Amino acid sequence: MKRTLFISVLLIVSFQTIQGQGLFPELRGYKISDDYPVYTPDDLWNYINGAADAYLQLGFIDLNIREYVKGKNIIKAEIYRFGDDARAFGMYSMERSPRYKFINTGVQGYNEEGVVHFYKDCFYVKIMSHSLSAKVNSSMLDLATLISSRMGGSGEFPALLRLFPSEGLLENQETYLLESVLGHEFLRGAFRASYEVEGDRFDIYLFSREDPAEVAAMAASLAGDAWAADDEVFRYAFKDGFNGLLYMARQGGKLILISGLPLERSSLAERYITLMLGSH
C-alpha cells in the first residue's frame, strides 16, 4: 500500500513537472537550451537568493526555465507556478508599477526595457534579455504570446480581486502585501486597492482565508474589547495609532479594512464595505 501511494505521488509530481516544461514553444530562428534544473521550494534560494522569501510565502510550487539562443542574442524565459491564480497575481502585482507599459498578454502583462512579464492562471512568466534591440523585443513579445496560448485559465483577474468595486478604482494599483499590513505585525497577506472618489483618496484592504478563525484573530486584535465574535458581520470604526481612522468589517473568512477617509465620510466607507460584502 505504501509503495503504491509513493508511486502515485511520484507520478503526480512528474506529470506536473512535465506539464510546466510543455509550456515552452519553439521560437522561429532561435535554438532552445534547457540547461537549468526545475526549481522547487527547497532550492529556489539557489536561483533568486533572498527574493525567494516572497515567492515561498505566496505558495510557489516550481520554476521552469529555458533559454532561446540566436547568435549572440539570448532570451531567457522563466515560468513560476503557484497554487492558484490569486497567488500568481499577487507575486506579479508586487513586481509591477502603474507606470509600466501594459500589454494584452495573459490576463495582464507589461513590456519594459529588456523584459516582458505577464501572469495567467496559476503562472507568473518573466521573459528577459540583455539585448535592447527592437527585433529581440519583438521576439520576446512573440514568445510571451506563444507561452500564454499554451496555458489554461479563464483570462480574467482572480475572483478575489473582482470583489473590489470598480467605481473610483485607480487602474493597475492593486497589489498584494505580505506582512505588517498597515504597520501591524499580526496583519499579513492582503490585497490592497486604491481609490479616488469625489476628491477623496483612500485604500481598501482585503484579507481572505479558508479558515475563518485566522481572520477572526486578526479582527479581534484590531478591535480589542469591542470585538464581538458571534456577529455574522462585525463592523467597527476606530482610531488606529498607526493610521488614524480605520473602518473594518469581518464576515466569515474575509476581513475588509478601509483607511484614508475622515469621520465625515463614514457613509462612503460603509457604502464600499457593503458593496464588497454583497447584501449584508
Side-chain angles (χ1 to χ4, degrees):
M1 179 65 180
K2 289 183 179 180
R3 178 178 174 82
T4 302
L5 180 60
F6 173 77
I7 293 174
S8 298
V9 171
L10 185 62
L11 287 173
I12 291 172
V13 172
S14 298
F15 171 75
Q16 290 175 337
T17 300
I18 293 171
Q19 185 183 40
Q21 294 172 351
L23 295 173
F24 294 100
E26 298 288 333
L27 183 63
R28 180 177 295 181
Y30 285 79
K31 294 181 179 179
I32 301 178
S33 171
D34 60 355
D35 291 338
Y36 291 87
V38 177
Y39 290 96
T40 68
D42 293 330
D43 58 6
L44 185 61
W45 271 77
N46 295 338
Y47 184 64
I48 59 175
N49 301 316
D53 277 347
Y55 285 77
L56 297 178
Q57 289 186 52
L58 275 168
F60 162 81
I61 295 175
D62 57 34
L63 164 62
N64 284 273
I65 305 170
R66 294 290 185 274
E67 285 188 347
Y68 291 78
V69 183
K70 183 179 182 180
K72 294 182 179 180
N73 294 324
I74 299 175
I75 297 173
K76 181 185 286 187
E78 304 172 346
I79 301 180
Y80 296 82
R81 184 162 63 100
F82 292 84
D84 56 43
D85 63 340
R87 295 169 186 265
F89 172 81
M91 196 65 245
Y92 163 78
S93 73
M94 291 171 64
E95 297 187 345
R96 73 172 178 179
S97 165
R99 298 186 299 273
Y100 285 166
K101 177 184 176 183
F102 290 93
I103 56 176
N104 294 321
T105 303
V107 177
Q108 187 188 78
Y110 58 85
N111 179 202
E112 292 293 308
E113 190 174 83
V115 300
V116 175
H117 292 180
F118 74 90
Y119 103 94
K120 184 180 181 183
D121 193 39
C122 60
F123 299 101
Y124 175 28
V125 181
K126 305 172 78 169
I127 300 171
M128 62 208 77
S129 177
H130 292 300
S131 173
L132 303 181
S133 78
K135 286 185 177 180
V136 171
N137 189 71
S138 179
S139 295
M140 291 167 62
L141 289 168
D142 289 343
L143 179 58
T145 299
L146 290 169
I147 292 175
S148 176
S149 69
R150 294 186 169 206
M151 294 175 170
S154 65
E156 296 182 351
F157 284 100
L160 274 178
L161 263 69
R162 297 198 292 274
L163 292 177
F164 287 105
S166 59
E167 181 186 349
L169 179 67
L170 297 180
E171 191 175 15
N172 297 321
Q173 293 196 26
E174 305 95 331
T175 191
Y176 190 82
L177 304 172
L178 281 172
E179 54 192 10
S180 296
V181 179
L182 288 166
H184 294 283
E185 290 186 3
F186 59 85
L187 291 179
R188 301 171 59 88
F191 284 101
R192 181 187 67 197
S194 298
Y195 286 82
E196 184 169 356
V197 178
E198 299 172 359
D200 289 302
R201 293 285 298 266
F202 58 97
D203 294 319
I204 301 180
Y205 300 80
L206 172 62
F207 301 79
S208 179
R209 301 289 191 274
E210 292 183 4
D211 183 1
E214 292 185 39
V215 168
M218 290 189 286
S221 295
L222 276 175
D225 292 339
W227 170 241
D230 294 332
D231 288 358
E232 180 183 357
V233 179
F234 175 78
R235 295 174 182 247
Y236 186 49
F238 62 100
K239 283 191 175 181
D240 175 66
F242 290 108
N243 307 282
L245 189 62
L246 290 180
Y247 303 85
M248 67 179 289
R250 179 259 180 174
Q251 179 188 31
K254 291 183 175 58
L255 172 65
I256 298 166
L257 296 174
I258 297 181
S259 68
L261 288 175
L263 184 61
E264 57 268 24
R265 297 293 280 156
S266 60
S267 60
L268 180 61
E270 287 298 319
R271 177 158 67 91
Y272 273 75
I273 286 174
T274 299
L275 286 171
M276 294 188 72
L277 293 179
S279 60
H280 293 276

